mmCIF file of all heavy atoms in Angstrom:
data_model
loop_
_atom_site.group_PDB
_atom_site.id
_atom_site.type_symbol
_atom_site.label_atom_id
_atom_site.label_comp_id
_atom_site.label_asym_id
_atom_site.label_seq_id
_atom_site.Cartn_x
_atom_site.Cartn_y
_atom_site.Cartn_z
ATOM 1 N N THR A 1 21.293 -15.834 -38.344
ATOM 2 C CA THR A 1 21.681 -15.323 -37.037
ATOM 3 C C THR A 1 20.431 -14.828 -36.325
ATOM 4 O O THR A 1 19.389 -14.623 -36.937
ATOM 5 C CB THR A 1 22.722 -14.192 -37.154
ATOM 6 O OG1 THR A 1 22.259 -13.212 -38.096
ATOM 7 C CG2 THR A 1 24.054 -14.732 -37.633
ATOM 8 N N SER A 2 20.542 -14.629 -35.024
ATOM 9 C CA SER A 2 19.354 -14.376 -34.200
ATOM 10 C C SER A 2 19.217 -12.919 -33.783
ATOM 11 O O SER A 2 20.191 -12.163 -33.748
ATOM 12 C CB SER A 2 19.394 -15.258 -32.943
ATOM 13 O OG SER A 2 19.245 -16.613 -33.280
ATOM 14 N N PHE A 3 17.996 -12.567 -33.460
ATOM 15 C CA PHE A 3 17.657 -11.299 -32.818
ATOM 16 C C PHE A 3 17.121 -11.624 -31.428
ATOM 17 O O PHE A 3 16.277 -12.506 -31.275
ATOM 18 C CB PHE A 3 16.577 -10.544 -33.599
ATOM 19 C CG PHE A 3 17.000 -10.081 -34.961
ATOM 20 C CD1 PHE A 3 16.763 -10.869 -36.075
ATOM 21 C CD2 PHE A 3 17.629 -8.856 -35.132
ATOM 22 C CE1 PHE A 3 17.139 -10.445 -37.336
ATOM 23 C CE2 PHE A 3 18.015 -8.434 -36.391
ATOM 24 C CZ PHE A 3 17.770 -9.221 -37.499
ATOM 25 N N SER A 4 17.605 -10.919 -30.425
ATOM 26 C CA SER A 4 17.166 -11.213 -29.065
ATOM 27 C C SER A 4 15.755 -10.697 -28.825
ATOM 28 O O SER A 4 15.265 -9.794 -29.505
ATOM 29 C CB SER A 4 18.130 -10.604 -28.042
ATOM 30 O OG SER A 4 18.250 -9.216 -28.219
ATOM 31 N N ARG A 5 15.136 -11.286 -27.845
ATOM 32 C CA ARG A 5 13.733 -10.990 -27.544
ATOM 33 C C ARG A 5 13.594 -9.616 -26.897
ATOM 34 O O ARG A 5 14.309 -9.298 -25.940
ATOM 35 C CB ARG A 5 13.216 -12.073 -26.599
ATOM 36 C CG ARG A 5 11.728 -12.022 -26.312
ATOM 37 C CD ARG A 5 11.360 -13.165 -25.384
ATOM 38 N NE ARG A 5 9.919 -13.260 -25.264
ATOM 39 C CZ ARG A 5 9.152 -13.887 -26.150
ATOM 40 N NH1 ARG A 5 9.700 -14.476 -27.188
ATOM 41 N NH2 ARG A 5 7.846 -13.929 -25.992
ATOM 42 N N PRO A 6 12.665 -8.772 -27.368
ATOM 43 C CA PRO A 6 12.454 -7.482 -26.714
ATOM 44 C C PRO A 6 11.711 -7.662 -25.396
ATOM 45 O O PRO A 6 10.860 -8.543 -25.260
ATOM 46 C CB PRO A 6 11.597 -6.702 -27.719
ATOM 47 C CG PRO A 6 10.843 -7.764 -28.456
ATOM 48 C CD PRO A 6 11.762 -8.957 -28.517
ATOM 49 N N VAL A 7 12.057 -6.860 -24.418
ATOM 50 C CA VAL A 7 11.401 -6.934 -23.107
ATOM 51 C C VAL A 7 10.918 -5.556 -22.706
ATOM 52 O O VAL A 7 11.411 -4.533 -23.180
ATOM 53 C CB VAL A 7 12.357 -7.480 -22.024
ATOM 54 C CG1 VAL A 7 12.752 -8.915 -22.330
ATOM 55 C CG2 VAL A 7 13.603 -6.614 -21.909
ATOM 56 N N ILE A 8 9.944 -5.543 -21.819
ATOM 57 C CA ILE A 8 9.396 -4.289 -21.306
ATOM 58 C C ILE A 8 10.119 -3.933 -20.027
ATOM 59 O O ILE A 8 10.290 -4.771 -19.143
ATOM 60 C CB ILE A 8 7.882 -4.416 -21.037
ATOM 61 C CG1 ILE A 8 7.150 -4.863 -22.315
ATOM 62 C CG2 ILE A 8 7.306 -3.107 -20.517
ATOM 63 C CD1 ILE A 8 5.701 -5.204 -22.087
ATOM 64 N N ALA A 9 10.550 -2.684 -19.930
ATOM 65 C CA ALA A 9 11.208 -2.232 -18.710
ATOM 66 C C ALA A 9 10.246 -2.338 -17.540
ATOM 67 O O ALA A 9 9.032 -2.157 -17.686
ATOM 68 C CB ALA A 9 11.690 -0.800 -18.878
ATOM 69 N N GLY A 10 10.767 -2.617 -16.349
ATOM 70 C CA GLY A 10 9.919 -2.757 -15.166
ATOM 71 C C GLY A 10 9.156 -1.481 -14.855
ATOM 72 O O GLY A 10 9.686 -0.372 -14.970
ATOM 73 N N ASP A 11 7.900 -1.635 -14.494
ATOM 74 C CA ASP A 11 7.063 -0.480 -14.164
ATOM 75 C C ASP A 11 7.367 0.034 -12.764
ATOM 76 O O ASP A 11 7.639 -0.726 -11.849
ATOM 77 C CB ASP A 11 5.577 -0.855 -14.242
ATOM 78 C CG ASP A 11 5.140 -1.155 -15.662
ATOM 79 O OD1 ASP A 11 5.738 -0.576 -16.582
ATOM 80 O OD2 ASP A 11 4.214 -1.964 -15.836
ATOM 81 N N ARG A 12 7.296 1.351 -12.623
ATOM 82 C CA ARG A 12 7.443 1.971 -11.309
ATOM 83 C C ARG A 12 6.062 2.040 -10.649
ATOM 84 O O ARG A 12 5.084 2.441 -11.277
ATOM 85 C CB ARG A 12 8.028 3.386 -11.469
ATOM 86 C CG ARG A 12 8.145 4.162 -10.170
ATOM 87 C CD ARG A 12 8.909 5.463 -10.418
ATOM 88 N NE ARG A 12 8.294 6.266 -11.449
ATOM 89 C CZ ARG A 12 7.331 7.166 -11.220
ATOM 90 N NH1 ARG A 12 6.850 7.333 -10.001
ATOM 91 N NH2 ARG A 12 6.841 7.883 -12.212
ATOM 92 N N ALA A 13 5.975 1.627 -9.414
ATOM 93 C CA ALA A 13 4.690 1.643 -8.714
ATOM 94 C C ALA A 13 4.186 3.071 -8.556
ATOM 95 O O ALA A 13 4.926 3.980 -8.192
ATOM 96 C CB ALA A 13 4.845 0.983 -7.348
ATOM 97 N N LEU A 14 2.905 3.271 -8.861
ATOM 98 C CA LEU A 14 2.269 4.586 -8.712
ATOM 99 C C LEU A 14 1.224 4.447 -7.614
ATOM 100 O O LEU A 14 0.172 3.853 -7.818
ATOM 101 C CB LEU A 14 1.632 5.019 -10.036
ATOM 102 C CG LEU A 14 2.586 5.080 -11.243
ATOM 103 C CD1 LEU A 14 1.817 5.412 -12.513
ATOM 104 C CD2 LEU A 14 3.690 6.098 -11.005
ATOM 105 N N ASP A 15 1.529 5.003 -6.447
ATOM 106 C CA ASP A 15 0.683 4.731 -5.295
ATOM 107 C C ASP A 15 -0.237 5.873 -4.908
ATOM 108 O O ASP A 15 -0.967 5.784 -3.924
ATOM 109 C CB ASP A 15 1.549 4.338 -4.089
ATOM 110 C CG ASP A 15 2.644 5.372 -3.803
ATOM 111 O OD1 ASP A 15 2.654 6.430 -4.479
ATOM 112 O OD2 ASP A 15 3.468 5.116 -2.914
ATOM 113 N N THR A 16 -0.221 6.970 -5.666
ATOM 114 C CA THR A 16 -1.135 8.072 -5.367
ATOM 115 C C THR A 16 -1.759 8.576 -6.660
ATOM 116 O O THR A 16 -1.212 8.384 -7.751
ATOM 117 C CB THR A 16 -0.396 9.238 -4.688
ATOM 118 O OG1 THR A 16 0.518 9.827 -5.621
ATOM 119 C CG2 THR A 16 0.347 8.780 -3.447
ATOM 120 N N ALA A 17 -2.908 9.246 -6.519
ATOM 121 C CA ALA A 17 -3.573 9.817 -7.689
ATOM 122 C C ALA A 17 -2.697 10.862 -8.357
ATOM 123 O O ALA A 17 -2.668 10.986 -9.588
ATOM 124 C CB ALA A 17 -4.905 10.433 -7.267
ATOM 125 N N ALA A 18 -1.933 11.598 -7.543
ATOM 126 C CA ALA A 18 -1.048 12.630 -8.100
ATOM 127 C C ALA A 18 0.057 11.997 -8.946
ATOM 128 O O ALA A 18 0.419 12.514 -10.011
ATOM 129 C CB ALA A 18 -0.437 13.462 -6.976
ATOM 130 N N ALA A 19 0.574 10.848 -8.478
ATOM 131 C CA ALA A 19 1.631 10.165 -9.229
ATOM 132 C C ALA A 19 1.105 9.641 -10.556
ATOM 133 O O ALA A 19 1.784 9.718 -11.590
ATOM 134 C CB ALA A 19 2.208 9.024 -8.405
ATOM 135 N N VAL A 20 -0.123 9.119 -10.547
ATOM 136 C CA VAL A 20 -0.744 8.643 -11.781
ATOM 137 C C VAL A 20 -0.942 9.804 -12.746
ATOM 138 O O VAL A 20 -0.625 9.719 -13.940
ATOM 139 C CB VAL A 20 -2.078 7.949 -11.489
ATOM 140 C CG1 VAL A 20 -2.808 7.640 -12.793
ATOM 141 C CG2 VAL A 20 -1.860 6.674 -10.691
ATOM 142 N N ALA A 21 -1.452 10.924 -12.240
ATOM 143 C CA ALA A 21 -1.680 12.094 -13.090
ATOM 144 C C ALA A 21 -0.379 12.598 -13.696
ATOM 145 O O ALA A 21 -0.329 12.995 -14.866
ATOM 146 C CB ALA A 21 -2.353 13.199 -12.277
ATOM 147 N N GLN A 22 0.689 12.583 -12.901
ATOM 148 C CA GLN A 22 1.986 13.036 -13.396
ATOM 149 C C GLN A 22 2.504 12.106 -14.486
ATOM 150 O O GLN A 22 3.061 12.558 -15.496
ATOM 151 C CB GLN A 22 2.989 13.105 -12.245
ATOM 152 C CG GLN A 22 4.338 13.697 -12.644
ATOM 153 C CD GLN A 22 5.291 13.775 -11.474
ATOM 154 O OE1 GLN A 22 5.267 12.933 -10.578
ATOM 155 N NE2 GLN A 22 6.130 14.799 -11.457
ATOM 156 N N ALA A 23 2.307 10.804 -14.300
ATOM 157 C CA ALA A 23 2.756 9.845 -15.305
ATOM 158 C C ALA A 23 1.989 10.025 -16.606
ATOM 159 O O ALA A 23 2.569 9.996 -17.702
ATOM 160 C CB ALA A 23 2.594 8.422 -14.779
ATOM 161 N N ILE A 24 0.676 10.213 -16.499
ATOM 162 C CA ILE A 24 -0.146 10.412 -17.695
ATOM 163 C C ILE A 24 0.287 11.667 -18.437
ATOM 164 O O ILE A 24 0.270 11.742 -19.666
ATOM 165 C CB ILE A 24 -1.642 10.498 -17.320
ATOM 166 C CG1 ILE A 24 -2.145 9.132 -16.810
ATOM 167 C CG2 ILE A 24 -2.485 10.971 -18.489
ATOM 168 C CD1 ILE A 24 -2.189 8.058 -17.859
ATOM 169 N N ALA A 25 0.704 12.684 -17.697
ATOM 170 C CA ALA A 25 1.108 13.954 -18.304
ATOM 171 C C ALA A 25 2.444 13.856 -19.019
ATOM 172 O O ALA A 25 2.822 14.771 -19.751
ATOM 173 C CB ALA A 25 1.177 15.040 -17.241
ATOM 174 N N LYS A 26 3.162 12.756 -18.809
ATOM 175 C CA LYS A 26 4.482 12.611 -19.425
ATOM 176 C C LYS A 26 4.543 11.403 -20.354
ATOM 177 O O LYS A 26 5.577 10.771 -20.507
ATOM 178 C CB LYS A 26 5.548 12.485 -18.331
ATOM 179 C CG LYS A 26 5.740 13.751 -17.506
ATOM 180 C CD LYS A 26 6.858 13.565 -16.494
ATOM 181 C CE LYS A 26 7.093 14.844 -15.699
ATOM 182 N NZ LYS A 26 8.180 14.684 -14.694
#
């Protein structure tokens, strides 16, 4: 029997330095 292929969830666009910093912090 088969196992389905794993996929990566779609990335959320990070359009500011603050958004990038917040993502890195989490």
Side-chain angles (χ1 to χ4, degrees):
T1 50
S2 292
F3 294 93
S4 57
R5 187 179 189 83
V7 296
I8 304 172
D11 293 331
R12 176 172 56 88
L14 303 175
D15 53 5
T16 67
V20 172
Q22 186 179 33
I24 292 292
K26 293 183 178 180

